[in-house]
Amino acid sequence: MKNYRLHLIRHGRTNLDGKGLYLGCKTDPELSPEGIRELLRLREHFEYPPVEMVYASPMARCVQTAGVLYPGAGMTTVPQLREADFGEFEGKSIQELKDNPEYVSWLSNSLKNAPPGGENGEDFLLRVVEGFRFVLEDMMRCELYDAAIIAHGGVIMSLLAAIGLPRRQVYDWQMANGQGFTCFVNPQLWQRDQLIEVAGILPHGASSALKGLEQAVEQ
């Protein structure tokens, strides 16, 4: 039985990245000019393996990243792969929220507690895994064996912590913008245990999924 290969890639940078704000599904910035240039430089220096289909979060930063990295591939948007819903905390910083009792309550148990008007961690994870199942079922139905998923850092980290091998914690799966992991899906392992195997980092040739672009290009 043939394995399926999936490349999980974090979207490129936007002008709002690095500002310490909660940016979820209610904020939809496009890639910044520098973010596009970074993706192009990564594509020039390293390898993003060819794919038959790109599955992307419907948010602009992911759709644009898919177009930059895989301009000739077909694309399907998957709503379940959108960023988390931070509700009333959207667009705000830790400094702004630190004295808010609802924020403190959320941080005390974000798996069970949700931001006002948002979703809790358990609902977020269930949604993300549902999105991954849709991708895999679509690949099987269409007989596609190589595909990419362009999504958000939190989406990919949560997904791999839940179903990835080797077993690791969420923050062990951190990645820089435009980078990520290649995974193999063995149909028997998936049907039995709902697990996938992480086989390497992306783009291929980079020494770490966490290195900054300048360091990565120097390798």
Side-chain angles (χ1 to χ4, degrees):
M1 191 175 292
K2 190 171 181 179
N3 288 345
Y4 296 85
R5 187 167 67 160
L6 274 163
H7 308 291
L8 278 57
I9 305 169
R10 184 184 178 191
H11 64 77
R13 284 202 297 163
T14 76
N15 285 325
L16 295 179
D17 290 337
K19 296 185 182 295
L21 305 176
Y22 284 100
L23 301 176
C25 65
K26 291 184 170 73
T27 305
D28 199 13
E30 296 186 346
L31 296 179
S32 66
E34 180 56 29
I36 294 173
R37 286 192 290 270
E38 286 180 350
L39 292 174
L40 291 172
R41 288 164 60 196
L42 282 168
R43 196 179 71 178
E44 177 185 356
H45 285 86
F46 303 108
E47 179 196 6
Y48 290 95
V51 299
E52 299 168 279
M53 178 64 71
V54 178
Y55 298 90
S57 157
M59 305 192 73
R61 50 197 183 270
C62 294
V63 173
Q64 285 184 298
T65 298
V68 172
L69 296 181
Y70 291 104
M75 184 175 64
T76 297
T77 57
V78 183
Q80 298 96 322
L81 297 178
R82 66 191 183 278
E83 185 56 284
D85 188 342
F86 295 119
E88 293 180 14
F89 301 155
E90 184 78 22
K92 297 180 180 179
S93 68
I94 295 175
Q95 187 65 27
E96 290 177 90
L97 294 167
K98 62 183 178 65
D99 297 322
N100 183 327
E102 292 178 310
Y103 178 69
V104 174
S105 174
W106 176 54
L107 287 186
S108 70
N109 188 355
S110 60
L111 281 177
K112 299 290 186 181
N113 300 334
E119 64 184 338
N120 66 28
E122 288 184 345
D123 290 340
F124 170 70
L125 181 57
L126 287 172
R127 166 167 66 78
V128 168
V129 172
E130 180 187 352
F132 182 82
R133 287 198 185 99
F134 167 83
V135 169
L136 191 54
E137 289 169 5
D138 192 67
M139 290 179 68
M140 291 177 175
R141 179 176 59 82
C142 298
E143 297 186 350
L144 304 174
Y145 294 97
D146 288 275
I149 290 177
I150 311 292
H152 310 270
V155 167
I156 296 172
M157 290 162 58
S158 298
L159 182 65
L160 292 181
I163 65 172
L165 294 174
R167 307 299 283 155
R168 292 179 179 169
Q169 298 300 309
V170 171
Y171 288 103
D172 293 329
W173 295 113
Q174 291 183 77
M175 73 225 77
N177 293 101
Q179 302 188 50
F181 302 94
T182 290
C183 302
F184 289 106
V185 182
N186 177 283
Q188 291 178 325
L189 178 64
W190 176 253
Q191 290 171 10
R192 186 184 70 228
D193 300 321
Q194 301 284 284
L195 294 172
I196 65 176
E197 299 173 278
V198 181
I201 62 168
L202 282 168
H204 294 174
S207 60
S208 169
L210 274 174
K211 276 186 176 292
L213 179 67
E214 290 76 14
Q215 292 176 290
V217 169
E218 287 173 1
Q219 296 301 315

